[in-house]
Amino acid sequence: MRRLLPALLLLLMLLPAGAQAAGGPQDRYVVSGDVLVAKGETVGDLVVLDGNIVVRGAVQGDLVAIGGDVTIRGTVSGDVVTIRKRATLGRRARVGGDVKWVQDRPVVDPGAVVSGKVKRFDVGTFGTPGIEVAIGFWVAVTISFLLGGFLLLLLAPGLFDGVVRARSGRGGAIIGGILLFILLPILAIVLLITVVGTPLGIGLLLALGPIYAIAYIASAMVLGRRVVKSGGRFVAFLAGLGILRVLALIPFVGGLISLLATIFGLGTLFVALRRARTV
């Protein structure tokens, strides 16, 4: 948990499929479907968006289950995190980090070994006005991104292919995204303090919101194509947006991932537009 969740977005978008450290086990990222780590099998980090996980072998990293149950009869070197359902640790289970849960308390056999703590990942108390407002805001933002992404794919289908291809220049995309994220607001402020540039500064400030939204959508497109290899553009976009919006529910980490997605999206848009001009 301490290292996986903040980096999950970058791992999914920037690492090649089946990413692994040199000589190390492969990481596994699954959007939908049950996962079995068989006895004698070893994987790296394991993240499942919607599906149950059974570990009889070894996970040499963190294990994150967002929408399914987890059964551990083997070894997990890092943390175990369940968001919506329950983790069950058998008597032979060995966890090197913490066991954290959001909705359902884990079931831990007395023979299981957990080196860290078994504790709840506190996301607040549902039913309070503040939580209701937050959920309403999350739903509204999600619908806005969904409609915006569909509109972009209908009006500019080449945008999807362009930003996905731009991932091949991920170094330039990351640097360009960071620079644009920092420099665009600065440029708007500079224009505002000049008499001639004031209208441009106001226009740029008003445009920052839509620009950042399109950048977020671009990251969803790239992420979706990473996990949906053969589906159409709309299916890939839905998969990517679904992952980002579920991760956005995680306190603090969700905001950090959204920020990273926006920065990376700005960079991919910059690279895609630059390549389009040179064609």
Side-chain angles (χ1 to χ4, degrees), residues 248-264:
L249 291 171
I250 303 174
F252 176 74
V253 174
L256 178 59
I257 290 177
S258 296
L259 174 62
L260 293 174
T262 302
I263 291 174
F264 184 79

Side-chain angles (χ1 to χ4, degrees), residues 92-125:
R92 295 183 179 178
R94 301 292 183 269
V95 178
D98 298 329
V99 176
K100 298 183 180 181
W101 53 283
V102 173
Q103 183 168 306
D104 294 332
R105 181 183 295 275
V107 176
V108 182
D109 189 278
V113 176
V114 179
S115 299
K117 298 180 179 180
V118 179
K119 59 183 180 180
R120 185 169 188 174
F121 193 87
D122 189 12
V123 294
T125 304

